[in-house]
C-alpha cells in the first residue's frame, strides 16, 4: 500500500522549473533516495514534502490524506538538515527534547526518551554538552537523534552526510540504515552521492532536470540504466559510439570502429546511432595472444588498493578498466593486451542526439 | 632558523605598525582626558579663575547637590528609555528587513542606515521643525481632529527620547542584523518541523540566538544616549539639562571649568561602570553557547 504519494508535483521559481510533474509512490517503511546532481530538483522535492516550500502544482498524500496545503509544523515529519540546524543555545538533551515538548511530552517520560534516543545513535552521556562542543560526526548523530526522538511517520534526510569525512560517512551509512530498518521509518534521502544512495536505499529515484529519469532498486539502476544520464551518474562507465548493423532474435550487432559488438537484445531500429556502455569492472585484461579479444595498449595504471584503475587505448577508442587486486598485477604501461567481456554486460542506449 | 632570523624584526614591527594609531589615541584621547581629570581636582574662584591646587571640592559639590542628582537621574532615564525603545522597534524592524526580497532589502537597509550619513545636529533640527507647536506633527494631529491643543514635544523629555531613539536606531539595527546573519537559515525550518508554531519558534529558537546581538546593540545605544549632547541640547532646551549639557554649561556659561570637568569625568566613570558590568555579565551568560 502506498504510504506517501507524490502526485505530479511541480515547483516553479519565477521562470525556473525546479521540479516538473514528479510522481513517486513510497511504501510504508521504505527507504527511497532522490539521487542527482545539484540543481536537479531533489532538495526542492524534499522541502515540498516537509512543507517548507509550497508546490506550484500537484498533490502530496500521506496515508491517504491530502497534506499538500498543511503547515510544516502540523505534518509530524522528522527532518535532518544538511547543516544539521541544531539549536546552538540548547544542550544536546534540550535539542532532542524540543520536538518531544512540542508534542506535549514532559518530565520523566521525556528524559527517558532522550536517553533512549542518545543510546540509539551511540552518544550516551553527551546530553549535557552544547552542539559546539561536539565533533562533526557527533553533531550529525544529534541531528538524527533529534529527528528520530519524536518517532516521526516519515524521516526526511537532506544530504545529511555531506559534511562528514569519507571514513565516517561509510560507517554512518551502515548505521543509519540499521536504525531505519530497526524502527521501520519511511525515509526519503536526498543525496548526490551514488555510493550513499546505493548503500542505504530500497529504491533509488535518479533525478535529472526536475524529473525522475529512473526509479529502481540500486542493483537494477546500476546494472540496467535507462538513460545515458543514469548510466554515467551511477558509477563509472565506458561509452562506445556505434551504429546498429544487424538484429536477430537474441541480440543486436553494433559496429564500433572496425569491430562488431553483440549486445543483448533491445528494440533498436537498424542504422540507428547508439551508445554501447560497458562498466570498467566488467572488462577483463587478457594476454594479447588470446583469441577474440579487442586489441589494446596499456596507457596508465593506477593502484587504488582494492583494485587497479587501468586506462587503455583500444581498437574501440580509449577505455577504462577496473582490474581487481587478485593474483598478478596487471601488465605494465605500453604493453599490448586483449580486452574481454561478456556480451550480457553490454548495454545499449540511444545517443542523446537520437533522443532529441 | 626562520624564526630566529625574523625574531628581532617581529618584535618591533607591530609597534611601528600601530604607532600612528597609538599616537592619535594618545594625542587626541588620552592626554585631553588626563588633563580633564587633573582639571577636575583644581578649584575655581569667581574672580581669580582656575586655581592650580588639588581638592575634591568639585566632586563633593556634585554629590551633595540635589540639582545634579536630578540631572544624572534624568540622563540615566533618558538612556534607558532610548535603549528600550530602540530594542522594541529596532529588533522587529531588523527581522522584517532580513526577510525582505532582493532589491527591497538593500533599499530599506540604506533607508535605515542612511541617517548615519547626516550630521546629528541637522537631523535634530529636522525633528525640531517637525515637533514645534505649529510643526508637521501637530498640524497633522489637528487636521485629523485628534487634538485641539498642540501636543508639547519640543523642550520635553518625550521629544528628546523620540529624536534620540531615531538617531541611535541604526546602531541597534546593525548589531541585530549581524547576529541574524550568523543564524543558520535552516534552524527556523527545523523548529517548525518539530511541530512548534511560528511564534514558538521565534521565542525559543530565533530570539535566544539573536539576544547577544540585541544586548550588545543595547550597550552601544545606552552609551551613546547617556553621553548624547546635540539632541538634548537642541530639543531639550536650557531647562531640560542632561549630564553632557550640564558639563557644557559649566565650561561655557559659568566658566567653572573644574566643575564642568568633574561632571564630565563622573559621566565617563558611570558609563564605564554600567557598560563594563553589563558586558561582563553578558559574556559570562553566553560564553557557553557562542564563543568560538
Amino acid at each position: 500500500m502506498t504510504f506517501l504519494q507524490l502526485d505530479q508535483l511541480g515547483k516553479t521559481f519565477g521562470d525556473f522549473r525546479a521540479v516538473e510533474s514528479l510522481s513517486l509512490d513510497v511504501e510504508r517503511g521504505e527507504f527511497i533516495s532522490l539521487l542527482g546532481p545539484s540543481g536537479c530538483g531533489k532538495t526542492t522535492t524534499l522541502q515540498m514534502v516537509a512543507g517548507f516550500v509550497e508546490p506550484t502544482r500537484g498533490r502530496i498524500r500521506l496515508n491517504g490524506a491530502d497534506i499538500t496545503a498543511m503547515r510544516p509544523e502540523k505534518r509530524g515529519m522528522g527532518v535532518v538538515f544538511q547543516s544539521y540546524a541544531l539549536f546552538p543555545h540548547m544542550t544536546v538533551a534540550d535539542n532532542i527534547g524540543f520536538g518531544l515538548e512540542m508534542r506535549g511530552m514532559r518530565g520523566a517520560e521525556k528524559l527517558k526518551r532522550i536517553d533512549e534516543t542518545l543510546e540509539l545513535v551511540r552518544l550516551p552521556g553527551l546530553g549535557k554538552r552544547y552542539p559546539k562542543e561536539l565533533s562533526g560526526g557527533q553533531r550529525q548523530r544529534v541531528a538524527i537523534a533529534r529527528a528520530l526522538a519524536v518517532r516521526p511517520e516519515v524521516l526526511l534526510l537532506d544530504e545529511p552526510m555531506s559534511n562528514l569525512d569519507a571514513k565516517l560517512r561509510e560507517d554512518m551509512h551502515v548505521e543509519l540504515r540499521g536504525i531505519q530498518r530497526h524502527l521501520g521509518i519511511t525515509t526519503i534521502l536526498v543525496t548526490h552521492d551514488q555510493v550513499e544512495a546505493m548503500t542505504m536505499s530500497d529504491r533509488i529515484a535518479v533525478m535529472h532536470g526536475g524529473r525522475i529519469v529512473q526509479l529502481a532498486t540500486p542493483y537494477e539502476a546500476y546494472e540496467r540504466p535507462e538513460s545515458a544520464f543514469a548510466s554515467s551518474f551511477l558509477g563509472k562507465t565506458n561509452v562506445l559510439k556505434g551504429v546498429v548493423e544487424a538484429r536477430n532474435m537474441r541480440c543486436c550487432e553494433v559496429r564500433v570502429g572496425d569491430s562488431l559488438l553483440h549486445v543483448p537484445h533491445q528494440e533498436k531500429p537498424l542504422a540507428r546511432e547508439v551508445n554501447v556502455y560497458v562498466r570498467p569492472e566488467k572488462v577483463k585484461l587478457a594476454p594479447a595472444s588470446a583469441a577474440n579479444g579487442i586489441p589494446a595498449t596499456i596507457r596508465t595504471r593506477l593502484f587504488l588498493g582494492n583494485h587497479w584503475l587501468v586506462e587503455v587505448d583500444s581498437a574501440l577508442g580509449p577505455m577504462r578498466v577496473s582490474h581487481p587486486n587478485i593474483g598478478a598485477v596487471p601488465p605494465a604501461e605500453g604493453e599490448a593486451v586483449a580486452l574481454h567481456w561478456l556480451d550480457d554486460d553490454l548495454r545499449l542506449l540511444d545517443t542523446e542526439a537520437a533522443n532529441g | 632558523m626562520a624564526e630566529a632570523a625574523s625574531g628581532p624584526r617581529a618584535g618591533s614591527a607591530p609597534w611601528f605598525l600601530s604607532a600612528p594609531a597609538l599616537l592619535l589615541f594618545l594625542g587626541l584621547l588620552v592626554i585631553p582626558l588626563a588633563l580633564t581629570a587633573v582639571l577636575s581636582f583644581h578649584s575655581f574662584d569667581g574672580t581669580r579663575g582656575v586655581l592650580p591646587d588639588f581638592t575634591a571640592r568639585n566632586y563633593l559639590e556634585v554629590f551633595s547637590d540635589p540639582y545634579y542628582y536630578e540631572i544624572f537621574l534624568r540622563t540615566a532615564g533618558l538612556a534607558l528609555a532610548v535603549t528600550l525603545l530602540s530594542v522594541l522597534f529596532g529588533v522587529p524592524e531588523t527581522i522584517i528587513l532580513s526577510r525582505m526580497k532582493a532589491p527591497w532589502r538593500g533599499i530599506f537597509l540604506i533607508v535605515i542606515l542612511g541617517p548615519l550619513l547626516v550630521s546629528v545636529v541637522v537631523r535634530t533640527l529636522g525633528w525640531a521643525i517637525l515637533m514645534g507647536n505649529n510643526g508637521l506633527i501637530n498640524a497633522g494631529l489637528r487636521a485629523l481632529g485628534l487634538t485641539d491643543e498642540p501636543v508639547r514635544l519640543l523642550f520635553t523629555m518625550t521629544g528628546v527620547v523620540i529624536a534620540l531613539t531615531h538617531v541611535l536606531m541604526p546602531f541597534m539595527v546593525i548589531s541585530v542584523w549581524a547576529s541574524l546573519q550568523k543564524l543558520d537559515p535552516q534552524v527556523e525550518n527545523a523548529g517548525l518541523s518539530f511541530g512548534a508554531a511560528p511564534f514558538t519558534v521565534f521565542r525559543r529558537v530565533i530570539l535566544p540566538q539573536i539576544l547577544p546581538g540585541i544586548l550588545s546593540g543595547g550597550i552601544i545605544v545606552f552609551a551613546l544616549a547617556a553621553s548624547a549632547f546635540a539632541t538634548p541640547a537642541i530639543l531639550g532646551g536650557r531647562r531640560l539639562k542632561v549630564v553632557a549639557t550640564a558639563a557644557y554649561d559649566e565650561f561655557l556659561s559659568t566658566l567653572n571649568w573644574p566643575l564642568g570637568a568633574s561632571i564630565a569625568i563622573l559621566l565617563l566613570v558611570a558609563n564605564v561602570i554600567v557598560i563594563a558590568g553589563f558586558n561582563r555579565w553578558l559574556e559570562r551568560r553566553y560564553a557557553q553557547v557562542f564563543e568560538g
Side-chain angles (χ1 to χ4, degrees):
Chain A
M1 193 200 99
T2 301
F3 182 59
L4 176 66
Q5 183 182 39
L6 314 188
D7 184 8
Q8 295 181 37
L9 216 49
K11 178 66 193 180
T12 315
F13 294 105
D15 294 338
F16 176 65
R17 294 167 148 199
V19 177
E20 292 200 50
S21 191
L22 184 145
S23 294
L24 178 65
D25 289 352
V26 185
E27 307 293 316
R28 191 185 276 276
E30 193 177 21
F31 195 126
I32 291 234
S33 291
L34 303 180
L35 174 69
S38 54
C40 74
K42 56 190 194 298
T43 296
T44 307
T45 305
L46 194 83
Q47 290 191 319
M48 286 192 282
V49 176
F52 304 144
V53 170
E54 199 184 332
T56 315
R57 58 201 189 79
R59 320 291 324 163
I60 303 168
R61 290 184 199 91
L62 182 66
N63 220 355
D66 190 327
I67 60 163
T68 317
M70 194 184 270
R71 294 200 44 82
E73 64 266 26
K74 308 273 185 216
R75 297 195 182 194
M77 295 187 176
V79 187
V80 177
F81 296 87
Q82 184 171 7
S83 62
Y84 310 148
L86 297 177
F87 306 134
H89 58 293
M90 295 184 195
T91 61
V92 167
D94 289 342
N95 263 283
I96 297 173
F98 184 83
L100 299 175
E101 268 174 50
M102 294 302 133
R103 280 164 167 75
M105 190 188 279
R106 292 185 191 275
E109 194 189 1
K110 183 183 91 172
L111 295 178
K112 186 165 162 271
R113 177 71 69 84
I114 292 171
D115 284 344
E116 276 171 17
T117 315
L118 280 173
E119 202 81 44
L120 188 69
V121 296
R122 297 204 281 139
L123 288 178
L126 288 189
K128 292 223 160 48
R129 302 263 189 96
Y130 280 90
K132 71 166 179 77
E133 299 168 323
L134 303 178
S135 71
Q138 288 173 326
R139 277 179 214 185
Q140 200 241 15
R141 282 158 194 265
V142 173
I144 292 173
R146 190 175 63 165
L148 289 176
V150 298
R151 301 283 151 82
E153 296 207 288
V154 178
L155 179 64
L156 304 175
L157 307 168
D158 184 6
E159 309 232 6
M161 320 278 182
S162 57
N163 295 324
L164 302 182
D165 60 71
K167 181 81 181 71
L168 202 54
R169 203 168 349 178
E170 271 178 36
D171 293 345
M172 279 311 292
H173 289 161
V174 178
E175 214 169 300
L176 185 57
R177 177 60 164 157
I179 293 174
Q180 186 266 338
R181 281 239 172 100
H182 172 67
L183 298 176
I185 297 179
T186 312
T187 304
I188 298 181
L189 166 76
V190 157
T191 184
H192 62 261
D193 181 344
Q194 38 123 351
V195 177
E196 187 166 299
M198 285 199 272
T199 321
M200 296 201 284
S201 323
D202 294 310
R203 285 190 295 163
I204 295 178
V206 183
M207 289 187 66
H208 185 45
R211 298 167 185 279
I212 293 180
V213 294
Q214 186 165 10
L215 178 63
T217 64
Y219 183 76
E220 273 293 308
Y222 184 84
E223 284 298 315
R224 293 182 212 295
E226 286 167 6
S227 66
F229 175 80
S231 173
S232 56
F233 198 76
L234 269 175
K236 303 258 188 304
T237 195
N238 290 297
V239 186
L240 309 167
K241 282 192 192 308
V243 179
V244 180
E245 267 202 356
R247 292 197 304 181
N248 59 30
M249 289 302 287
R250 207 186 61 78
C251 67
C252 281
E253 287 183 5
V254 181
R255 177 158 296 282
V256 180
D258 297 331
S259 312
L260 210 52
L261 304 182
H262 298 267
V263 186
H265 207 293
Q266 275 159 313
E267 292 296 327
K268 299 290 175 203
L270 290 178
R272 170 73 70 96
E273 284 193 19
V274 292
N275 284 334
V276 177
Y277 295 87
V278 57
R279 299 276 188 197
E281 71 273 16
K282 314 275 192 189
V283 183
K284 302 265 180 299
L285 298 175
S289 55
N292 300 328
I294 304 285
T297 324
I298 307 275
R299 179 146 44 96
T300 54
R301 52 168 207 189
L302 301 170
F303 181 55
L304 298 177
N306 60 351
H307 72 279
W308 294 79
L309 177 63
V310 182
E311 288 186 311
V312 298
D313 290 314
S314 78
L316 307 177
M319 289 180 71
R320 284 178 158 195
V321 178
S322 169
H323 185 83
N325 183 17
I326 303 172
V329 292
E333 276 136 13
E335 280 187 37
V337 291
L339 304 181
H340 280 269
W341 52 71
L342 300 174
D343 286 348
D344 279 346
D345 286 332
L346 298 180
R347 300 283 171 259
L348 197 59
L349 290 168
D350 287 335
T351 58
E352 296 280 289
N355 274 331
Chain B
M1 289 265 280
E3 257 173 57
S6 65
R9 270 169 195 258
S12 54
W15 289 102
F16 277 119
L17 287 171
S18 52
L22 276 177
L23 285 176
L24 194 74
F25 262 94
L26 205 67
L28 298 182
L29 187 72
V30 178
I31 293 177
L33 212 55
L35 289 177
T36 307
V38 170
L39 185 63
S40 71
F41 288 103
H42 289 337
S43 56
F44 176 76
D45 185 278
T47 49
R48 287 181 296 161
V50 180
L51 305 173
D53 55 352
F54 191 86
T55 164
R57 222 171 59 200
N58 297 313
Y59 288 99
L60 289 176
E61 188 180 338
V62 173
F63 279 121
S64 58
D65 192 342
Y67 170 75
Y68 291 108
Y69 288 178
E70 197 190 324
I71 289 175
F72 270 91
L73 277 178
R74 180 183 295 134
T75 308
L78 172 71
L80 266 179
V82 169
T83 308
L84 284 178
L85 281 177
S86 65
V87 169
L88 227 54
F89 287 96
V91 174
E93 186 173 302
T94 317
I95 289 171
I96 292 169
L97 192 67
S98 72
R99 283 172 190 232
M100 283 179 163
K101 293 250 158 61
W104 299 112
R105 187 154 79 164
I107 292 168
F108 277 95
L109 196 62
I110 291 171
V111 168
I112 290 170
L113 302 184
L116 286 179
L117 304 174
V118 184
S119 146
V120 180
V121 176
V122 174
R123 267 187 290 167
T124 305
L125 286 171
W127 275 107
I129 294 168
L130 288 177
M131 286 176 175
N133 282 356
N134 295 312
L136 205 60
I137 295 174
N138 272 314
L141 288 175
R142 260 190 305 245
L144 290 171
L146 293 173
T147 154
D148 298 326
E149 297 270 296
V151 177
R152 276 182 42 77
L153 292 169
L154 209 51
F155 307 127
T156 65
M157 270 303 266
T158 318
V160 177
V161 168
I162 291 173
L164 206 52
T165 304
H166 170 252
V167 166
L168 299 178
M169 187 73 83
F171 295 101
M172 178 59 75
V173 171
I174 292 171
S175 179
V176 176
W177 178 262
S179 66
L180 270 176
Q181 295 307 303
K182 278 195 287 182
L183 212 65
D184 180 347
Q186 296 287 21
V187 291
E188 194 181 341
N189 278 342
L192 289 176
S193 75
F194 291 115
F199 182 73
T200 312
V201 172
F202 174 75
R203 191 171 54 83
R204 296 210 33 200
V205 176
I206 310 287
L207 192 59
Q209 292 190 66
I210 62 171
L211 201 56
I214 297 172
L215 295 175
S216 57
I219 290 180
I220 298 171
V221 171
F222 183 89
L224 292 176
S227 54
F229 172 76
T231 308
I234 296 170
L235 292 180
R238 295 267 68 83
R239 280 188 321 112
L240 268 179
K241 275 190 193 175
V242 293
V243 179
T245 52
Y248 175 86
D249 285 345
E250 288 306 330
F251 271 96
L252 293 190
S253 302
T254 47
L255 296 178
N256 188 344
W257 286 25
L259 184 60
S262 57
I263 294 174
I265 293 292
L266 283 173
L267 175 63
L268 177 72
V269 170
N271 233 342
V272 166
I273 288 173
V274 170
I275 292 164
F278 192 63
N279 210 20
R280 193 90 161 274
W281 174 81
L282 197 66
E283 274 173 9
R284 214 173 325 141
R285 175 78 176 68
Y286 292 101
Q288 187 72 306
V289 187
F290 288 101
E291 79 187 6

